[in-house]
Structures are given as C-alpha cells and as structure tokens.
Amino acid sequence: MLQELLAGAVLDAEQRLLARPFASVEAAARAHAPALDALAALAPADRVKILAEIKRASPSRGALAAITDPAALAVSYETGGASAISVLTEGRRFHGSMTDLEQVRAAVNIPVLRKDFIGTPYQVFEARAAGADLVLLIVAALDQATLLSLHELIHELGMTALVETHSGDEVSRALDIGASLVGVNARDLSTFELDPNLFGTLADKIPSGVIRVAESAVKTAADVAHYRGAGADVVLVGEALVTSDPIRTLSEFLAV
Ligand SMILES: O=C(O)c1ccccc1NCC(=O)[C@H](O)[C@H](O)COP(=O)(O)O
C-alpha cells in the first residue's frame, strides 16, 4: 500500500510537471518568501503542542469530512492554538491538493506542512513554491540515499523535514541523516494497524535536541495525555479534529 501511494503521488507530480516545467517550479520555490521557523514553533515546551491536520479522507477510514474551505478550517486551528498545520496534498486516496496547501498558507501565520508521499525533488520544489514550511519524508518509503538527498534539499530551501518512522531501525535511519524533527506514526502504513504504544517504545531512541512527534491514533484528550506522558513534544492529529468542533477539541487537547 505504501509503495502504491508513493508511486501514485510521484505519477501525479509528473503529470503536473507537464504543465509546469521543473525549472519554473524551482525558480518559484527559490523566489518565495522565506519559510517560517518550524523548529521554533514546535520546540519542546511546558505544554504539548498540536500539529493539526487537514484531512478529507484516508485509505483506512474512507471519507471523513468534506472540508469545502480548507483555509477556514486552518484559521480555526490557528485560533484554537495549534502550533502548525499539516495539509494532506495527496489526491487519490486523501482527496487533497496543492491548491489546499496554497489556500491554507495564505490564511494562517503558523508553519504549514506538506503531508504527502514525497519521492522526488520536484515534489519538494512544489511544496516550497506553494509556501510550505515543512515537508514530510516517510523513512519506510525511501532508500537511504534518496532520504538523505531529499532531506538536504528541504534544508537547502530553508524548510524543515518531518521525518516519519515506524520502528527502531527507521528511527536510526532518521537520526543518521541528521533529522531534527522525528515522527513516530502509530499507524502501519502498509496494514493500517494502529499501535498507540509504539511511540512510547521508541521515544527513548530519539535524543534530546531532536523534537519528538507522536502521530495518529488520537481520539480523546486521554490519548494526548498518553503520548505526552511517553515524551511527545508534539502530537499530530487529523481525524479527531476534522470530525468535531476543532476549536473545542483543541482546547481539550491543549489542556493536557
Ligand atoms: O490515515 C490513513 O489511513 C493512512 C493510510 C496510509 C498512509 C497514511 C495514512 N495517514 C497519514 C497519517 O499518518 C495520518 O493522517 C496522521 O498521522 C493523522 O492521523 P489521525 O489523527 O489518526 O487521523
């Protein structure tokens, strides 16, 4: 499933490249106003921080929310106290788009993550050209040389990579490329199985100085407390926010 999602996302980017050549996207990326400092926004603090996700649908859960105005939802997230916003730009299974990312970027003043299945430099340039401050890199989807080169490109463009892992070996691979922001996804992206205890078993492998993000499987404030107790600096939440009143839900989560 993960390789299928990556192949589809890369193919879709190749289609966009036909209309917008590489050189033009690279030039737009390099000319864009500088990225916001995501490491500062997500830095460890005396309270948990929330990376709030805009997610219409997913392979594991199907349709979640129509989200006709992603910019308005992003403003609610910012108002509710989110520290950064994740925008799913994958179109086939998550029903997201680069337009969503551009609209969200224009509406808020906090860092914005391009959450997608990134495998090529073109996708990274697209992210920056659309105003992204962060880009997701999924360790399980990439060989180490590609992971390293995409990570370097993200940094060269002034952005931050959220390097996502799902095992001790993947955490080591993330640290080997110098990741400053490491996510542990409770969701196995091949089987969709959720393990809310995985973050707790891997958190100790992530040294202080690296920001720890717990991803997925948050439904209630107790789930946020569970991750916080296990050492999460940041919790990434999608479904629980798009299927509720986000400002109320964020206030419950941030009270942890
Ligand atoms: O959510 C899925 O079904 C999914 C399937 C395959 C690859 C990625 C997938 N989701 C991406 C994410 O990791 C989540 O959107 C994110 O962590 C938020 O999760 P949640 O709060 O459980 O919606």
Side-chain angles (χ1 to χ4, degrees):
M1 170 53 77
L2 179 56
Q3 288 308 323
E4 189 185 316
L5 287 163
L6 177 67
V10 168
L11 201 65
D12 291 346
E14 283 167 3
Q15 288 300 313
R16 291 193 295 274
L17 186 144
L18 297 177
R20 201 177 174 202
F22 194 102
S24 128
V25 174
E26 178 174 355
R30 294 194 187 280
H32 203 284
L36 300 179
D37 186 347
L39 292 180
L42 299 174
D46 56 6
R47 64 165 183 88
V48 73
K49 295 187 174 177
I50 304 290
L51 174 50
E53 187 154 283
I54 295 187
K55 182 178 187 183
R56 289 195 183 87
S58 76
S60 63
R61 306 283 293 146
L64 295 171
I67 314 182
T68 51
D69 188 348
L73 180 56
V75 169
S76 297
Y77 286 170
E78 186 176 32
T79 306
S83 294
I85 297 178
S86 163
V87 182
L88 268 158
T89 53
E90 197 273 352
R92 296 174 183 224
R93 306 296 297 272
F94 294 87
H95 304 169
S97 70
M98 292 304 292
T99 306
D100 290 346
L101 180 61
E102 285 164 0
Q103 290 178 354
V104 168
R105 166 70 292 148
V108 298
N109 296 305
I110 52 178
V112 175
L113 165 73
R114 179 180 186 190
K115 193 143 192 292
D116 207 322
F117 300 88
I118 303 291
T120 65
Y122 184 80
Q123 293 169 291
V124 174
F125 284 120
E126 272 190 316
R128 185 78 279 271
D133 309 292
L134 297 124
V135 176
L136 181 73
L137 292 177
I138 301 173
V139 172
L142 302 168
D143 62 59
Q144 195 67 3
T146 308
L147 184 65
L148 177 63
S149 67
L150 292 174
H151 191 257
E152 284 176 347
L153 179 59
I154 289 165
H155 280 250
E156 186 207 321
L157 293 175
M159 297 185 287
T160 301
L162 170 57
V163 184
E164 179 176 305
T165 67
H166 190 69
S167 69
D169 179 52
E170 289 178 14
V171 170
S172 301
R173 289 180 57 197
L175 298 176
D176 283 348
I177 61 162
S180 309
L181 184 64
V182 172
V184 175
N185 201 335
R187 180 175 286 112
D188 182 318
L189 302 189
S190 295
T191 63
F192 303 155
E193 223 168 275
L194 287 169
D195 178 359
N197 294 316
L198 183 68
F199 177 84
T201 65
L202 298 182
D204 281 352
K205 297 187 189 303
I206 305 173
S208 62
V210 175
I211 301 172
R212 300 166 178 170
V213 185
E215 302 179 31
S216 304
V218 168
K219 293 244 182 303
T220 66
D223 299 325
V224 177
H226 172 70
Y227 279 145
R228 181 66 173 166
D233 302 306
V234 181
V235 177
L236 170 60
V237 187
E239 181 175 344
L241 292 175
V242 301
T243 56
S244 69
D245 171 348
I247 294 186
R248 198 195 61 225
T249 304
L250 278 166
S251 96
E252 288 168 14
F253 289 1
L254 288 168
V256 161

